[in-house]
Amino acid sequence: RKEVEQDPGPFNVPEGATVAFNCTYSNSASQSFFWYRQDCRKEPKLLMSVYSSGNEDGRFTAQLNRASQYISLLIRDSKLSDSATYLCVVNLYNNNDMRFGAGTRLTVKP
Amino acid sequence: EAQVTQNPRYLITVTGKKLTVTCSQNMNHEYMSWYRQDPGLGLRQIYYSMNVEVTDKGDVPEGYKVSRKEKRNFPLILESPSPNQTSLYFCASMGLQLYEQYFGPGTRLTVT
């Protein structure tokens, strides 16, 4: 079993749609969680950290469920510019041992 | 401008010919790391460094070497490249107070 698993997609949605991605992690001792965004042929960039109480940044909402060991990312009112691959990242033991999921690809269409 | 730079951006080489990919950051970050990204596998960590003269193996260190003689630089060395090292490589740095990693633009390596 992979340490961090994501549905690879692709998710093809129309503009304005709401889309949700899930990510599961295997190590219950994992300490911190993130979503990164990666555009085609570009480097990953931090989208948002995921806090225990859940957090929101504009159209993006991230949630953490420690009991079930998954994190989620919700994108509301999708824009064409949201088209990218979204990477789930889990930090084990707070020692900078970052583990990346393989990514979920999103395409937002007009 | 805060950034991580990598060179070269693209490299085609032959099996066995030693090569070095340089990585430099200007943010005074303690932590630096190398990843390779392959289709369907995501980013896998090769080596990381918590500070000068401190390096540790990641998930896939075989066939790679690194050094950290200065805080800003973290070169990746392939002593004898093989075709299975054909990949997209990213260098990243991070301050130890926050967990945001800043990635370089990537180096696409092809070994024939």
Side-chain angles (χ1 to χ4, degrees), chain B residues 39-86:
Chain B
L41 297 178
L43 281 152
R44 292 180 293 166
Q45 191 175 55
I46 302 170
Y47 270 95
Y48 66 97
S49 169
M50 298 291 283
N51 215 324
V52 176
E53 301 293 0
V54 179
T55 62
D56 281 294
K57 294 178 180 180
D59 293 326
V60 288
E62 295 77 21
Y64 305 94
K65 286 174 59 177
V66 292
S67 68
R68 189 90 182 274
K69 293 182 170 52
E70 305 165 282
K71 198 171 188 180
R72 63 182 292 126
N73 295 324
F74 190 45
L76 179 70
I77 302 155
L78 284 71
E79 295 271 5
S80 182
S82 62
N84 65 11
Q85 292 178 299
T86 292

Side-chain angles (χ1 to χ4, degrees), chain A residues 2-3 32 34 36 38 41-46 87 89 91 94-103, chain B residues 9 31 35 37 40-43 45 48 50 59 88 90 94 96 99-106 108:
Chain A
K2 292 181 182 178
E3 292 195 53
S32 48
F34 311 89
Y36 276 70
Q38 186 174 23
R41 302 181 185 280
K42 298 283 191 179
E43 70 273 22
K45 293 185 179 179
L46 180 67
L87 307 174
V89 184
N91 186 21
N94 261 4
N95 68 349
N96 309 307
D97 186 3
M98 299 280 198
R99 301 301 169 98
F100 285 75
Chain B
R9 294 288 313 280
Y31 177 94
Y35 296 89
Q37 187 173 35
L41 297 178
L43 281 152
Q45 191 175 55
Y48 66 97
M50 298 291 283
D59 293 326
L88 177 59
F90 287 104
M94 181 171 70
L96 292 182
Y99 288 102
E100 178 176 0
Q101 291 200 64
Y102 292 83
F103 285 83
R108 188 165 291 279

Side-chain angles (χ1 to χ4, degrees), chain A residues 6-65:
Chain A
Q6 296 182 245
D7 182 342
F11 285 64
N12 298 310
V13 303
E15 269 187 293
T18 295
V19 60
F21 308 136
N22 285 333
C23 166
T24 59
Y25 59 95
S26 60
N27 192 325
S28 60
S30 299
Q31 295 293 323
S32 48
F33 310 87
F34 311 89
W35 284 101
Y36 276 70
R37 170 193 169 127
Q38 186 174 23
D39 293 298
C40 189
R41 302 181 185 280
K42 298 283 191 179
E43 70 273 22
K45 293 185 179 179
L46 180 67
L47 178 65
M48 58 197 303
S49 301
V50 186
Y51 303 123
S52 296
S53 55
N55 48 300
E56 190 174 304
D57 183 1
R59 297 181 293 108
F60 299 84
T61 301
Q63 292 194 313
L64 167 64
N65 185 320

